Amino acid sequence: MVGLLRWGGLDREDAQRVQRATQVLAHRGPDSGGFWRDAHCALGFRRLKVIDLSPSGEQPMSSPDGRAQVVFNGEIYNFRELRAELEARGRVFRSRSDTEVLLHGYQEWGIEALLPRLRGMFAFALWDSAEQRLLLARDPLGVKPLYLAERGEAVIFASEPKALFATGLVEPELDPVALHEALTYRYVPPPRSGFRDVEKLPPGSLAVGEDESLLYRPWFRLLAREGRPS
């Protein structure tokens, strides 16, 4: 997945930037591709068909009222249980995909209540056009990647750094601090990514973009149990 949000409105070239970056990720989703945009946000996706192989499972996926758009990488293991709960509350589904559960769950419960309900590996981006809000979320273990960069009034995000570079808005410059960490720990702790001015969304975190700012916060915390094992 890849996307670009420009607070002042997308310029003439932004749609082409996202489409170009989406093609760079074709190896991640060889089965099909999709693109969507409005005045401020553009989303691209390459699909590997696993659940609901029909066209109804294509992404970017829109909510029934057209207010929310989502691109989603991963798998929600308990989506059938969540779907049944949402249908009991009157939600009508158009597909058999786990992606649609994210849209209905967001509109029914809100993002803060939806995320703890999810069991799976995932990274997704959801654009709420009514609220002018971008939501980027990642699973607690960080199985699925999500990289992002801010350039002036633009936020660019993607499943791989090279998709960011393909937009032409981000340069592939090595981060010397990240190199030191990689050589020392054999690991680059988030939010560093290895590239200057490119960040990894930390596992179990939510990034909220609104009012021309992007802020991270953890939505998942591992709590230690009190007491000692007997």
Side-chain angles (χ1 to χ4, degrees):
M1 68 178 179
V2 61
L4 191 157
L5 168 64
R6 194 178 292 277
W7 301 111
L10 298 179
D11 63 30
R12 185 172 58 184
E13 299 179 6
D14 284 335
Q16 295 178 352
R17 298 181 197 276
V18 173
Q19 290 172 325
R20 184 168 62 245
T22 303
Q23 290 306 311
V24 170
L25 297 177
H27 62 286
R28 298 182 67 89
D31 295 329
S32 64
F35 174 78
W36 175 92
R37 64 159 293 183
D38 66 4
H40 295 276
C41 186
L43 301 172
F45 192 77
R46 293 294 312 187
R47 185 183 181 199
L48 175 64
K49 296 182 180 181
V50 178
I51 299 175
D52 189 353
L53 308 186
S54 72
S56 61
E58 297 291 342
Q59 299 183 44
M61 185 177 287
S62 173
S63 62
D65 58 6
R67 167 178 170 168
Q69 308 286 333
V70 71
V71 283
F72 157 61
N73 175 31
E75 187 175 348
I76 306 301
Y77 303 139
N78 64 332
F79 82 96
R80 293 181 179 85
E81 293 84 349
L82 294 175
R83 174 176 175 145
E85 186 177 352
L86 288 161
E87 287 178 325
R89 299 172 73 94
R91 292 281 171 177
V92 178
F93 284 74
R94 299 170 294 175
S95 75
R96 294 180 289 106
S97 72
D98 49 353
T99 307
E100 195 174 3
V101 167
L102 298 176
L103 288 167
H104 283 289
Y106 168 70
Q107 293 193 310
E108 184 69 31
W109 299 312
I111 193 66
E112 299 292 351
L114 170 63
L115 287 171
R117 284 177 159 89
L118 302 178
R119 301 290 180 267
M121 53 178 185
F122 57 85
F124 67 84
L126 189 149
W127 170 246
D128 187 326
S129 58
E131 297 291 335
Q132 296 287 283
R133 179 189 299 132
L134 174 67
L135 301 169
L136 305 173
R138 196 170 175 214
D139 64 76
L141 296 181
V143 176
K144 293 300 180 180
L146 185 51
Y147 296 86
L148 58 150
E150 295 184 74
R151 284 294 181 273
E153 61 174 13
V155 178
I156 313 103
F157 51 91
S159 297
E160 294 184 15
K162 64 181 179 182
L164 301 179
F165 306 145
T167 66
L169 297 174
V170 183
E171 295 296 326
E173 298 181 14
L174 184 67
D175 179 353
V177 176
L179 176 60
H180 174 77
E181 291 176 336
L183 295 174
T184 303
Y185 308 117
R186 299 186 180 182
Y187 172 66
V188 179
R192 294 190 186 277
S193 69
F195 298 97
R196 191 187 301 273
D197 299 325
V198 174
E199 296 187 342
K200 289 185 295 190
L201 184 66
S205 292
L206 171 69
V208 180
E210 59 184 345
D211 298 327
E212 301 190 16
S213 66
L214 184 69
L215 300 176
Y216 300 179
R217 64 174 180 266
W219 66 264
F220 176 86
R221 290 183 175 87
L222 186 62
L223 301 178
R225 298 181 61 181
E226 295 185 359
R228 300 172 60 183
S230 57

